[in-house]
Amino acid sequence: SQYWPHSLPSLDKRRLEAFTSKSKLSYNTKFAIPDFKVGILDSLVGLSDELGKLDSCAESLIRRMAQSVVEVMEDSKGKAQEHLLANGVDLTSFVTHSEWDMAKYPAKQPLVSVVDTIAKQLAQIETDLKSRLATYNTLKTNLENLEKKSMGNLFTRTLSDIVSKEDFVLDSEYLVTLLVIVPKPNYSQWQKTYESLSDMVVPRSTKLITEDKEGGLFTVTLFRKVIEDFKSKARENKFTVCEFYYDEKEIKREREEMARLLSDKKQQYGPLLRWLKVNFSEAFIAWIHIKALRVFVESVLRYGLPVNFQAVLLQPHKKSSAKRLREVLNSVFGHLDEVAATSILDASVEIPGLQLSNQDYFPYVYFHIDLSLLD
């Protein structure tokens, strides 16, 4: 899943061929780059900086889109890779067989125009991504909040989906039915004492509706005028009176809201997943085109005019061979920049006025494509 786009002066073709034939550390293929209009060299310096920023933005965008596919698929996230394709093929195949899309990004246009086209395309995808995910995630959050009300113990969950109309005395001017949570060890005490916790409690009016690991939910019917007194006596005996009154309209509204959210989520799921699949492909293709542009611009700046270089895509056979592959490349092509090569081989060398890192500067044009973070 690691790919290294390189470029070397065509005069070094023999060295490249020798390296390719002898090295067993990587699989090497041509990296297709068209003949662009160079224009003024000074403009390439600014374009180089702009492409560097665009490269980072594009990579960040496709990683967020890949993560969004996983999150949207939820229980089916193991199949997310089926949706992370580029032009209908897996990412590895696309990278190793990529060709410049002349129809979408005409190479005859000035480089600035090509870069601007890609930048606007990615900006639009990012804007749409934020909007679509915000809508879907708001819906998902509202649904999860409703579902959470049906979870937990009797103290925290909603009771509207547990009780029924038949459990209550309704439409009475004098009587009211309360719900009381009784700890399991206190069931016997409740049955013996609930009628005497206050005056005007209806005898034999209690009924166990449901229970969990901690306790049970009981009904009790009494006169409205003694509600507060009954609550106070119940607390003293470790019985918890729930702040719940049966409202058929409210219960119906909650159920309809749950059904609506489930329906809306189902309706949005398919279109959102299809949009992510299509636009992930577009963003990934644009990213690889940015890599090609960077190789071209940096090669012209490094090797000069006329344009005369060869671009190659290296894929290290395994992660453990990457370091050795880099050492071999630096050894074979170090003559392209003797000062830089020296600093790479000896990190202790200091060059006045110039800061070089043996990790980010090489005597040839080099970039990196990492697909592992999309797994």
Side-chain angles (χ1 to χ4, degrees):
S1 59
Q2 303 284 330
Y3 300 90
W4 299 353
H6 283 64
S7 83
L8 299 156
S10 294
L11 294 175
D12 278 342
K13 189 174 182 179
R14 288 185 178 180
R15 286 177 180 264
L16 181 61
E17 290 175 347
F19 165 78
T20 302
S21 62
K22 293 180 180 179
S23 173
K24 305 297 182 182
L25 301 172
S26 64
Y27 174 72
N28 311 320
T29 57
K30 184 178 179 181
F31 192 53
I33 298 178
D35 295 325
F36 292 109
K37 289 184 177 181
V38 175
I40 303 173
L41 281 178
D42 287 350
S43 67
L44 294 185
V45 177
L47 199 59
S48 173
D49 292 338
E50 185 177 345
L51 281 168
K53 295 175 183 177
L54 191 58
D55 188 349
S56 298
C57 291
E59 182 175 357
S60 174
L61 176 60
I62 64 172
R63 299 204 188 288
R64 276 184 283 132
M65 295 185 79
Q67 183 60 36
S68 296
V69 170
V70 173
E71 292 173 356
V72 168
M73 294 189 72
E74 296 180 11
D75 295 339
S76 302
K77 61 185 178 182
K79 297 182 179 180
Q81 288 295 328
E82 297 175 9
H83 298 272
L84 301 180
L85 306 174
N87 257 1
V89 300
D90 64 86
L91 303 184
T92 295
S93 297
F94 181 83
V95 171
T96 54
H97 298 86
S98 63
E99 295 288 340
W100 186 269
D101 191 334
M102 293 292 187
K104 190 178 292 184
Y105 312 115
K108 292 183 179 180
Q109 290 186 353
L111 278 172
V112 174
S113 298
V114 177
V115 173
D116 187 56
T117 297
I118 296 177
K120 287 180 178 177
Q121 179 192 11
L122 292 175
Q124 186 60 54
I125 291 175
E126 183 164 23
T127 299
D128 291 347
L129 175 67
K130 289 179 180 178
S131 175
R132 289 172 182 269
L133 286 182
T135 300
Y136 186 79
N137 287 334
T138 297
L139 177 62
K140 184 179 176 181
T141 299
N142 290 340
L143 182 58
E144 287 174 349
N145 288 338
L146 273 182
E147 290 174 337
K148 284 179 181 177
K149 291 182 179 181
S150 301
M151 302 168 64
N153 59 36
L154 293 172
F155 289 97
T156 59
R157 61 162 296 153
T158 182
L159 304 176
S160 60
D161 60 340
I162 296 176
V163 298
S164 64
K165 185 177 181 179
E166 291 70 27
D167 296 323
F168 296 83
V169 173
L170 301 173
D171 304 321
S172 172
E173 182 179 353
Y174 302 105
L175 294 175
V176 65
T177 299
L178 302 181
L179 296 177
V180 183
I181 300 174
V182 180
K184 278 192 173 181
N186 296 20
Y187 278 9
S188 178
Q189 180 189 355
W190 167 257
Q191 293 288 354
K192 293 176 181 178
T193 63
Y194 80 90
E195 294 179 6
S196 59
L197 290 178
S198 177
D199 296 333
M200 310 180 82
V201 175
V202 177
R204 295 186 297 279
S205 63
T206 192
K207 180 177 70 172
L208 176 63
I209 296 177
T210 188
E211 60 183 347
D212 59 19
K213 293 180 180 179
E214 298 174 10
L217 184 68
F218 289 81
T219 60
V220 61
T221 301
L222 56 143
F223 279 73
R224 293 179 181 274
K225 61 190 297 183
V226 297
I227 287 178
E228 294 306 318
D229 182 55
F230 183 87
K231 285 183 178 180
S232 177
K233 296 293 177 55
R235 280 195 299 270
E236 292 176 5
N237 288 272
K238 299 182 179 179
F239 305 139
T240 305
V241 178
C242 303
E243 295 298 327
F244 178 90
Y245 297 94
Y246 189 86
D247 185 334
E248 198 164 14
K249 290 182 179 179
E250 180 63 19
I251 291 174
K252 182 180 179 182
R253 188 198 65 77
E254 284 187 8
R255 288 172 180 169
E256 288 176 347
E257 177 69 3
M258 175 70 80
R260 183 188 67 80
L261 290 173
L262 284 169
S263 177
D264 289 351
K265 183 183 177 185
K266 186 176 181 180
Q267 289 178 7
Q268 289 191 26
Y269 173 83
L272 176 59
L273 191 58
R274 284 192 294 272
W275 185 90
L276 284 169
K277 181 177 181 178
V278 170
N279 286 275
F280 173 86
S281 174
E282 291 296 311
F284 186 86
I285 292 169
W287 185 43
I288 300 305
H289 280 68
I290 292 170
K291 294 293 186 183
L293 283 166
R294 294 194 73 186
V295 169
F296 180 86
V297 169
E298 296 301 327
S299 297
V300 174
L301 290 174
R302 180 73 67 89
Y303 308 133
L305 294 173
V307 177
N308 189 21
F309 66 88
Q310 183 169 351
V312 183
L313 184 70
L314 278 64
Q315 180 187 7
H317 285 318
K318 50 186 179 180
K319 189 174 181 180
S320 59
S321 65
K323 182 178 180 181
R324 175 57 184 158
L325 177 60
R326 177 64 56 217
E327 292 172 351
V328 171
L329 283 166
N330 291 339
S331 175
V332 174
F333 301 107
H335 66 285
L336 295 173
D337 190 335
E338 297 293 348
V339 175
T342 301
S343 71
I344 292 169
L345 296 173
D346 184 1
S348 64
V349 174
E350 294 184 3
I351 304 173
L354 186 64
Q355 291 184 339
L356 296 174
S357 168
N358 62 344
Q359 294 184 359
D360 57 21
Y361 188 86
F362 305 96
Y364 41 82
V365 174
Y366 157 76
F367 292 103
H368 185 224
I369 300 172
D370 183 4
L371 303 184
S372 63
L373 296 180
L374 297 178
D375 293 340

